Amino acid sequence: MKIENSIVSINETLLEVLDKINNLDSQTLFIINENDKLIGVITDGDIRRGFLRGLTVNDSIKEFMFTEFNFLIENKIDFNQLIDFRSNQLKSVPIINNYGKIVNIVDFTKTKSFLPIDAVIMAGGRGIRLKPLTNKTPKPLLKIGGKEIISYNFDRLKSYGIINQNITVNYKSDQIVNFCENYDSGINFNIVKEDKVLGTAGSISLIENFDNDTVLLMNSDILTNINFEDFYLEFLRQDADILVASFAYEVSIPFGVFECSDLKIDSLKEKPTKTYFTNTGIYLIKKDILKYIPKGNFYNATDLMNKVITENKKLIHYPIQDYWLDIGRMSDFEKAEKDIGRINFG
């Protein structure tokens, strides 16, 4: 929603307020003072109750407004409160900054959360392993289940309140730029064009500003229903410098395996299975860590992780319990087509 449609000045008349409420689905308006600070809310119910108290259309809306209202503070989200708002399916919760000014309005019947995160989506790859599908179409715009791969990520990020989305492009970039321009006005897209290939993290250095202190880096060719709120809360709990999402991958050996000390066999394991945690290409990163990425040079996310390790910073992994698939090969693309109808994106 456009937040200006839900805001009225304390100086507006009750008839102006009624006209605005009549055109809103939420039936709730937020009242600001001369300094744009939120001071109250007003609904059609508040107006009816005011009339029952003897107020008239000539009285100030200040007499009708309700001053005890729900809100969240930008960059200081109380997640217990947020979860309560979500459980009660509140349709119109203002997000205010430190000055009391409304910066967003969240409908918790449509939005799962409101995470203070800026996203960077890497969409510059050539998709060589998916040729000939990528001869004319960049891999992020290939369709799975009738919908572009990258749009699943756009929509899921938005559903968690992550609306600042930086898209790094290179191969057939004009198609991706045009797609973003016509996609969703509720997402703040920032297109970052690579003049040369910069790896899986190098193009972050081309982004001048981030609004939030946490940056989500992810590949555009991932199909996942990861819970971004739980991912972020674990990032906070661990006080991680980088939290990388991992996926359990089991390797089964179809033979008996010896465990040895030199040539001496200490034990025998029959057909063991070993679980490894693999990199999914989804990272939460403290903004301060981005200083390690060299400006305009080829640099991979794995280089950044190694740098964090050598600097004795905190690198933690987060096992994904939900669906995840990297659509890098034709077999992955075919699997995604088969799986898409069974994935729960709710």
Side-chain angles (χ1 to χ4, degrees):
M1 70 174 69
K2 292 184 177 180
I3 63 174
E4 58 267 26
N5 293 339
S6 297
I7 296 175
V8 293
S9 165
I10 189 63
N11 297 317
E12 293 190 48
T13 68
L14 186 65
L15 289 177
E16 290 172 319
V17 167
L18 284 168
D19 183 57
K20 281 193 174 182
I21 287 178
N22 191 49
N23 294 308
L24 280 180
D25 291 335
S26 67
Q27 302 291 291
T28 301
L29 285 176
F30 299 97
I31 301 172
I32 59 174
N33 64 15
E34 293 82 358
N35 297 316
D36 295 332
K37 181 178 180 180
L38 176 62
I39 58 173
V41 299
I42 189 167
T43 67
D44 55 350
D46 295 326
I47 295 170
R48 287 196 301 271
R49 284 185 287 273
F51 287 152
L52 290 173
R53 297 199 314 268
L55 298 176
T56 71
V57 293
N58 296 318
D59 285 302
S60 168
I61 60 173
K62 187 176 182 179
E63 302 300 322
F64 292 87
M65 74 180 189
F66 191 64
T67 57
E68 298 292 328
F69 50 85
N70 296 310
F71 64 93
L72 293 168
I73 301 176
E74 182 186 35
N75 296 324
K76 296 179 182 178
I77 301 297
D78 181 333
F79 281 93
N80 290 325
Q81 194 176 36
L82 185 152
I83 291 168
D84 182 61
F85 293 163
R86 185 169 62 214
S87 298
N88 287 291
Q89 294 193 305
L90 300 188
K91 288 188 173 183
S92 199
V93 176
I95 312 294
I96 64 173
N97 62 20
N98 292 331
Y99 303 101
K101 183 177 179 180
I102 299 175
V103 295
N104 211 320
I105 298 171
V106 178
D107 179 350
F108 282 107
T109 66
K110 299 177 180 178
T111 301
K112 303 176 190 298
S113 191
F114 191 82
L115 304 179
I117 293 172
D118 288 336
V120 179
I121 303 175
M122 298 297 194
R126 298 184 66 84
I128 293 174
R129 291 177 296 170
L130 283 175
K131 286 182 174 294
L133 297 180
T134 53
N135 285 342
K136 295 182 178 180
T137 304
K139 180 166 61 170
L141 297 186
L142 295 178
K143 291 186 177 182
I144 299 292
K147 180 175 176 178
E148 294 79 3
I149 296 170
I150 199 171
S151 66
Y152 287 101
N153 294 316
F154 289 166
D155 294 348
R156 190 152 192 85
L157 290 170
K158 183 185 176 185
S159 74
Y160 283 89
I162 306 173
I163 58 174
N164 292 338
Q165 300 185 22
N166 301 272
I167 318 301
T168 69
V169 295
N170 185 302
Y171 178 66
K172 297 191 179 298
S173 61
D174 289 348
Q175 291 186 39
I176 299 175
V177 170
N178 183 66
F179 182 76
C180 291
E181 287 176 346
N182 296 281
Y183 190 69
D184 185 339
S185 61
I187 299 175
N188 300 326
F189 286 119
N190 175 41
I191 305 299
V192 182
K193 292 188 177 182
E194 297 178 340
D195 293 329
K196 59 181 180 180
V197 176
L198 294 176
T200 55
S203 57
I204 295 178
S205 69
L206 304 179
I207 302 172
E208 295 183 358
N209 293 300
F210 291 105
D211 289 344
N212 295 289
D213 292 330
T214 303
V215 174
L216 171 73
L217 172 66
M218 67 183 296
N219 299 330
S220 64
D221 54 356
I222 292 170
L223 190 62
T224 182
N225 61 354
I226 182 175
N227 184 325
F228 283 116
E229 182 180 273
D230 189 64
F231 188 36
Y232 176 69
L233 292 177
E234 184 65 13
F235 179 72
L236 297 181
R237 282 191 290 266
Q238 295 288 346
D239 190 27
D241 291 292
I242 297 180
L243 182 66
V244 53
S246 61
F247 196 75
Y249 187 83
E250 292 187 347
V251 177
S252 297
I253 300 176
F255 309 104
V257 173
F258 298 144
E259 291 192 345
C260 304
S261 300
D262 295 323
L263 296 178
K264 178 178 176 293
I265 298 174
D266 297 318
S267 65
L268 171 65
K269 291 188 176 180
E270 189 65 30
K271 299 179 181 180
T273 297
K274 178 71 174 178
T275 299
Y276 295 92
F277 288 97
T278 61
N279 185 354
T280 67
I282 308 173
Y283 315 84
L284 281 175
I285 308 169
K286 284 183 179 177
K287 185 167 63 173
D288 183 59
I289 295 298
L290 302 180
K291 66 186 178 185
Y292 294 126
I293 300 176
K295 184 77 171 180
N297 291 332
F298 186 93
Y299 200 77
N300 280 324
T302 50
D303 297 323
L304 185 60
M305 287 192 286
N306 283 325
K307 181 65 173 177
V308 164
I309 292 171
T310 59
E311 293 291 330
N312 292 317
K313 301 290 186 179
K314 202 168 183 181
L315 175 65
I316 306 291
H317 83 99
Y318 170 90
I320 293 179
Q321 303 299 319
D322 303 298
Y323 186 90
W324 172 85
L325 180 66
D326 176 7
I327 308 173
R329 301 165 298 178
M330 192 62 72
S331 59
D332 301 319
F333 186 85
E334 292 167 353
K335 175 175 171 52
E337 283 281 22
K338 292 177 182 177
D339 291 350
I340 193 63
R342 299 193 296 269
I343 301 172
N344 179 13
F345 287 104

